[in-house]
Amino acid sequence: MSGYIEGILVILLLNIVFAYAVYWPLAAGQLNLGVAGFVGIGAYASAYASNEYGVPPYLASLGAALVTFAAAIIIAVPVLRTRGIYLALATFAFGQVLHSLFLNLDVVGGAAGYPVNAYIGIGGIATCALGVFLVTLFLDRTRFGLNMVAVHHDNAVSDLFGINVRLYQTLAFAIGAGIAGLGGGLYGHHFSYIEPQNYTILFSIFVVLFVLLGGTQTVFGPLLGAIFFTLLPEALRASEEWRYAIFAVLIIGTMILRPQGLFTVHEIRIFRRLFDRGTPPGRAHG
Amino acid sequence: MADVLCLEGISKSFGGLEVIKNLSFAVARGQRTALVGPNGAGKSTVFNLISGVYPVTAGRIRVNGRDITEVPSRLRMRCGVSRSFQNIRLVPHLSVLENVMIGQTPRISGPADILYPLRLVRGSRWQREALAALDRVGLAEFAGSQAHDLPYGVQKQIEIARALLGGADVLLLDEPAAGLNAQETEDLMARLESISGQGATIVVVEHNMQFVGALCGHVIVLDFGEKIAEGTPAEVRREPRVVEAYLGVNAA
Ligand SMILES: Nc1ncnc2c1ncn2[C@@H]1O[C@H](COP(=O)(O)OP(=O)(O)OP(=O)(O)O)[C@@H](O)[C@H]1O
Ligand SMILES: [Mg+2]
């Protein structure tokens, strides 16, 4: 595999991981603009563990996922008291606080950045990305996933039907944070260097953008969004001066034409119809 | 204890406006009861108070003899009351089957049930049970349809199937016949009779007095949050206050 292709593949796989970090809270109706903060915690915590204590990098990254999961449960207490746009602002503020914390933490290099000694290659990243996707896919098909949809759509009715709304909201937030932490650990150990500038609001917005454009009605939307957003700028490389303009036009076009995202429940139903034995295409699926 | 649902002196105020006034009534097990009254009389509010959407200002609510007044709304279905809504409250992009399976939540116990891939495994116990509930309201053929593709009246019936699955003793149905034509209303009536014949206690809010007369043996009439009559359909129809409330004659 050429270095160029491998480089793009790594970015793609990491973007898939980050996509699900944003998807989980979105699946419960929360716009988390602080995802970069969780990625940063994961990157720094796992790098510190492997540099200072010789923890194997995979273990350090999985440990980082647990740390960010637990941190998110605590952070969820104040953050989930807010709703809608205020929740987005609260997570944004949280991300900013963490960014300045990273800038001032001298044990991990502060603004100068922090070299990471141990290395995780593309194979390890691919395994983790696949794992994140499969776990999300599985959970979505369980009653946990069904109840999450219910909570997102209507808190009050979910509550009346016995669903612990606050617990589901907290878990969605924390699972997303755990995935972000894992992604952070993988990132640091692959690029061997982390710095606070990696974990800013721009990063959060970028991931949120491609997840929303991919679609959050199904678990395939984030995957599609990540693929689209990683590969499209590369494909547009040919027209160097126009690529960002074309990219912007495509984004706006998608928002107008497909407000629910590129991949929705509707596409799933079309696939089902095509593959269902004995049900000719076009007939209502019963 | 023959009364499965019992309201004792219930009052409810919204910011100084008393919309339910000292309301008491009891519903016997297996009975089919109608809660009727003009628009804004407080019928839906009574359902909201029983299911715990908001707390009562005064009074007690008992289900199966147990005082549930202080039980959080999330746990009330486990105490035996389930409901449908006046305005449809389904998840529009989920299938009908998935929507009704949400109604099973009060009966799940432990992580094995929560992590069961019920949207993956065809023919699981949960699916078969949900299909059976849909069948009881005559909607099994729509199991795979998306809820928002179906007519208003059908969506209201889906809510009944969902309410059935919670395993409750009392079903509170808010205007179940809204959006149905005459034939569909008759079908619904037959189905509700059979559901109550199998042991469920049904309380309906309904404007269609013919429907009420044919389905229910027990009618409670509300006006401005007050109970103005109670009895069989024939009895309440003879009450002067009911006639006034319905004809809009000023009692004062
Ligand atoms: N959450 C609330 N806050 C303030 N007032 C409310 C609230 N819910 C209901 N009300 C008021 O309580 C009164 C009774 O409303 P309710 O919806 O129970 O009437 P209803 O008998 O169900 O009427 P309809 O036949 O139109 O459905 C109305 O005056 C309504 O405005
Ligand atoms: Mg009403």
Side-chain angles (χ1 to χ4, degrees), chain A residues 67-238:
Chain A
V67 167
T68 47
F69 178 85
I73 288 180
I74 296 163
I75 292 157
V77 174
V79 164
L80 294 185
R81 285 174 169 273
T82 59
R83 291 267 167 277
I85 191 136
Y86 298 101
L87 187 145
L89 283 176
T91 57
F92 165 73
F94 158 77
Q96 293 304 100
V97 168
L98 279 177
H99 181 238
S100 51
L101 184 72
F102 300 146
L103 274 174
N104 293 298
L105 259 187
D106 288 331
V107 281
V108 287
Y114 189 55
V116 189
N117 300 324
Y119 180 72
I120 294 179
I122 187 171
I125 296 176
T127 309
C128 290
L130 184 68
V132 165
F133 175 69
L134 290 179
V135 167
T136 303
L137 185 64
F138 176 77
L139 285 178
D140 176 70
R141 295 287 97 191
T142 62
R143 184 173 291 284
F144 179 75
L146 182 64
N147 286 355
M148 195 65 84
V149 178
V151 165
H152 180 187
H153 185 73
D154 194 330
N155 287 349
V157 169
S158 302
D159 174 75
L160 290 182
F161 278 95
I163 301 173
N164 187 335
V165 171
R166 178 49 77 93
L167 178 67
Y168 273 77
Q169 287 172 333
T170 303
L171 283 175
F173 189 70
I175 291 173
I179 295 172
L182 173 69
L186 297 173
Y187 181 99
H189 285 96
H190 183 78
F191 292 107
S192 309
Y193 187 75
I194 51 182
E195 56 180 334
Q197 274 323 95
N198 299 343
Y199 311 111
T200 64
I201 179 70
L202 276 181
F203 174 93
S204 300
I205 288 178
F206 178 73
V207 180
V208 164
L209 186 66
F210 72 64
V211 171
L212 286 178
L213 289 183
T216 57
Q217 269 188 2
T218 81
V219 287
F220 300 103
L223 183 67
L224 199 73
I227 293 173
F228 204 66
F229 265 64
T230 312
L231 301 187
L232 198 64
E234 296 306 323
L236 295 174
R237 229 174 240 289

Side-chain angles (χ1 to χ4, degrees), chain B residues 34-71:
Chain B
L35 197 55
V36 304
N39 287 108
K43 307 176 297 291
S44 297
T45 303
V46 170
F47 278 9
N48 287 340
L49 291 170
I50 297 170
S51 57
V53 174
Y54 24 67
V56 298
T57 307
R60 315 300 307 171
I61 300 167
R62 271 176 234 286
V63 173
N64 289 323
R66 176 176 170 199
D67 186 339
I68 63 158
T69 321
E70 310 297 333
V71 173

